[in-house]
Amino acid sequence: LTLPEDGYAVQLIALANRDRAEQFASEHGLEDALILSITREEAPYTVVLLGVYPTYEDAQAAAEARPESLTNIKPWIRPIADLRARLLPEDAGG
């Protein structure tokens, strides 16, 4: 997996189970979603990202244009640097 050094991601959800994260992406037709394993408060979690964008404004526009089935979810726009720092080895490439 290669994440850019900088930019922003639109996180839709964080789940304790990767299979459930993949099911969530499938249920919402998110074929291009990124699913990453990260740590949160010392515990592993799986996040579903709508995408990665070069600017906060681009990420915000993507979050606002998310599929209608996701209007009940409040996306979190977060820096790529934060995600990169929390990646677990299986998604960090080693």
Side-chain angles (χ1 to χ4, degrees):
L1 172 74
T2 303
L3 284 175
E5 291 292 325
D6 55 12
Y8 295 87
V10 177
Q11 180 177 315
L12 298 172
I13 195 166
L15 300 161
N17 181 292
R18 188 175 189 97
D19 290 337
R20 179 64 188 111
E22 290 171 357
Q23 180 182 4
F24 173 88
S26 177
E27 287 172 359
H28 293 282
L30 301 171
E31 295 85 19
D32 295 332
L34 297 172
I35 299 174
L36 303 176
S37 298
I38 64 168
T39 60
R40 185 176 83 182
E41 298 175 9
E42 308 282 330
Y45 276 83
T46 302
V47 295
V48 178
L49 304 178
L50 183 61
V52 173
Y53 307 91
T55 67
Y56 184 91
E57 292 75 18
D58 290 338
Q60 189 171 28
E64 291 171 3
R66 69 192 180 278
E68 190 172 317
S69 67
L70 298 171
T71 56
N72 63 328
I73 292 189
K74 184 176 189 232
W76 177 19
I77 299 171
R78 61 188 299 182
I80 293 295
D82 181 51
L83 285 168
R84 288 175 60 89
R86 297 171 183 269
L87 280 176
L88 291 175
E90 63 263 27
D91 283 335

